[in-house]
Amino acid sequence: TMHCSLLSLGCVFGFVPANNQTNLTALRALKIAQRRLRPEVRAKLLSVSSARTDGSLAPEAWRFVFLDPSTSGNCRVVTVAAKTSSEHPDTVEAFSSAKTESVPTTHVIAQNKWVMDSDQALAQVRGAAKLKGIRAAEYRLGEPRSGQEPLWTLYFYAESAEPVARFQVGARTGAVKILANE
């Protein structure tokens, strides 16, 4: 079984200049993350997740898990943050709730089918539902089955630690599906 740990595999930080006013979307962060990897690992993206956002609902840090058989855990974790210091503790703490990644249930994301970026997925959800009282969001991208469309899952939070709403958005088609809360 493959288990990736953010701390045991290490964390590679990529940074976007602080004076850059545009949001750090998942696709922009992916390009930064891929520069830190060997060419044979870059195309083997297993999952994408964001740290929990603030009220703007725009993530400031992204966590990418790549299949990498040459590592002890068979995967490599790369975190890209919109901060200017590699010593920024919030980035690691933001992902402390997701320290272990169980990889056998995930498939390599077909990056050529991933055309809808994180900000576009949010816009699709906002177009499909009213998001009143939402104070934070979390984003995850995965591919349920090999060859299928990658899916964004967006979790929205009000005042509690549990999500109040969950949506799936097709990363190619933009189709929105409301998920029942567990």
Side-chain angles (χ1 to χ4, degrees):
T1 78
M2 298 186 292
H3 290 338
C4 298
S5 168
L6 178 66
L7 301 176
S8 68
L9 286 178
C11 190
V12 177
F13 292 89
F15 298 97
V16 176
N19 60 359
N20 188 344
Q21 295 301 315
T22 59
N23 290 336
L24 180 63
T25 65
L27 281 170
R28 287 184 60 218
L30 176 64
K31 287 178 178 35
I32 294 166
Q34 287 176 323
R35 290 194 301 242
R36 310 238 178 240
L37 300 168
R38 295 185 320 278
E40 63 272 17
V41 176
R42 289 180 191 150
K44 297 177 181 173
L45 180 63
L46 293 174
S47 71
V48 179
S49 58
S50 77
R52 200 150 152 189
T53 66
D54 60 14
S56 73
L57 306 184
E60 291 187 3
W62 290 96
R63 182 174 181 263
F64 300 93
V65 179
F66 294 89
L67 179 65
D68 187 354
S70 69
T71 62
S72 61
N74 288 322
C75 56
R76 184 165 305 279
V77 176
V78 181
T79 301
V80 179
K83 301 291 179 189
T84 55
S85 167
S86 63
E87 298 301 315
H88 199 277
D90 293 345
T91 304
V92 175
E93 273 181 33
F95 292 102
S96 63
S97 63
K99 285 181 186 169
T100 304
E101 189 83 23
S102 184
V103 180
T105 58
T106 59
H107 298 276
V108 172
I109 295 170
Q111 293 179 40
N112 61 339
K113 291 184 179 178
W114 176 15
V115 295
M116 180 149 301
D117 205 346
S118 53
D119 58 342
Q120 296 165 312
L122 177 62
Q124 288 293 102
V125 169
R126 281 186 164 149
K130 299 285 182 219
L131 299 176
K132 292 185 180 184
I134 300 299
R135 299 185 185 272
E138 209 173 308
Y139 298 70
R140 293 186 189 150
L141 179 70
E143 190 158 325
R145 289 190 195 96
S146 191
Q148 283 194 339
E149 176 179 25
L151 295 172
W152 280 108
T153 304
L154 280 72
Y155 301 82
F156 293 99
Y157 300 86
E159 306 240 351
S160 69
E162 296 300 315
V164 294
R166 296 182 311 132
F167 295 85
Q168 256 181 356
V169 180
R172 182 174 40 84
T173 62
V176 177
K177 179 181 176 184
I178 300 172
L179 301 174
N181 273 341
E182 299 161 343

